[in-house]
Amino acid sequence: MAILIDRSTRVVVQGITGREGTFHTLRNRDYGTNIVAGVTPGKGGQDVEAIPVFDTVADAVATAEVNTSLIFVPPRFAAEAIREAADAGVELIVCITEGIPVTDMADVASYLRGKGSVLVGPNCPGLISPGKANVGIIPGEVCTPGRVGLVSRSGTLVYQIVNELTQRGLGQSTCVGMGGDPVNGIDHIGSLALFEDDPETDLIVMVGEIGGDAEERAAAYISEHVTKPVVGYIAGFTAPAGKRMGHAGAIVTGSSGTAQAKAEALEGSGVRVGRTPTEVAELVASTTG
């Protein structure tokens, strides 16, 4: 078992005929992911190396029994692409696109309420259940099947920490790159809840970064609802106050949103927090025995 995706996942790629869409579609198919359709308006009836292309997501759902969408469309079209997938009844929507305006995503977040679709991203690397499915851009080469769940705001840290885990023989159940934009889909709390209920996840790694209060809210949630051990990491201990660092949400004002404050909140909830990715893997190894 895994969370959100597994061998039964059937993926449509929105923007499949673009350069990024084609590259990652074929890469994910080579990994073993069940890519069953693509969508590019005006190119219905074509194919990408035997993957049929449709004009709309609704056509893909009706023909190919899609349950997951992977989005590689330009920022100005991405919000509408998310809405289209939700309207077609797609259960899981993974949006890789970077640079979607915050106002567009605020509208999307409101639109998705009550739709029954789970959104991962945008501006994220997607997610992978090693050995089962890869829906996004996470390099499958650094992953290995196992029982550690991971959720991260930072895409780069997904790769780095997963690599550290794999080198120690610590495989992963599912790795979720949730993205670091101010408005996004599934967050730390949503992922923690799914990992808590997953019988094949024994331990959860939660990766955060400076800015906002997502990690502090997750710490409170862990205290109340998570029985499995959690190991944490917060990027940005040396970040200067008031300077934006990478992600749109990664900015510190005064003492609010600092790495130190977030680490203290997590440690107050019983989470062991590593100061480097290597230390995170060491803490996971010592916790799992």
Side-chain angles (χ1 to χ4, degrees), residues 18-57:
R19 184 180 63 181
E20 296 297 321
T22 298
F23 175 81
H24 289 290
T25 294
L26 299 179
R27 177 175 160 276
N28 287 348
R29 186 175 69 172
D30 289 345
Y31 186 81
T33 311
N34 197 12
I35 309 286
V36 296
V39 166
T40 298
K43 296 190 177 181
Q46 300 182 17
D47 71 87
V48 174
E49 298 207 9
I51 299 170
V53 178
F54 297 88
D55 286 321
T56 69
V57 177

Side-chain angles (χ1 to χ4, degrees), residues 15 30-31 34 37 41 47 67 84 98 102 142 161 197 227 286:
D30 289 345
Y31 186 81
N34 197 12
D47 71 87
N67 58 22
E84 182 185 354
E98 178 181 358
V102 173
V142 301
I161 292 177
D197 291 339
T227 62
S286 66

Side-chain angles (χ1 to χ4, degrees), residues 5-21:
I5 58 173
D6 56 25
R7 290 190 179 90
S8 68
T9 297
R10 295 175 64 84
V11 181
V12 59
V13 179
Q14 292 176 256
I16 191 171
T17 56
R19 184 180 63 181
E20 296 297 321

Side-chain angles (χ1 to χ4, degrees), residues 127-145:
L127 66 166
I128 182 170
S129 291
K132 297 173 181 172
N134 188 1
V135 182
I137 61 175
I138 296 173
E141 298 84 354
V142 301
C143 303
T144 191

Side-chain angles (χ1 to χ4, degrees), residues 161 164-165 168 170 203 205 231 272 274-289:
I161 292 177
E164 295 273 1
L165 294 172
R168 286 167 175 76
L170 300 164
L203 180 147
V205 174
V231 172
R272 303 175 75 186
R275 262 50 180 179
T276 67
T278 299
E279 187 179 347
V280 169
E282 292 171 351
L283 290 173
V284 173
S286 66
T287 302
T288 58

Side-chain angles (χ1 to χ4, degrees), residues 129-204:
S129 291
K132 297 173 181 172
N134 188 1
V135 182
I137 61 175
I138 296 173
E141 298 84 354
V142 301
C143 303
T144 191
R147 302 184 67 86
V148 177
L150 182 145
V151 56
S152 173
R153 283 173 70 182
S154 164
T156 304
L157 285 170
V158 172
Y159 318 149
Q160 188 170 1
I161 292 177
V162 165
N163 188 48
E164 295 273 1
L165 294 172
T166 296
Q167 289 183 354
R168 286 167 175 76
L170 300 164
Q172 307 89 45
S173 55
T174 302
C175 306
V176 180
M178 57 180 266
D181 279 3
V183 180
N184 58 8
I186 194 167
D187 59 5
H188 285 124
I189 291 174
S191 300
L192 287 165
L194 293 174
F195 282 130
E196 173 70 12
D197 291 339
D198 178 21
E200 294 191 359
T201 295
D202 294 337
L203 180 147
I204 306 163

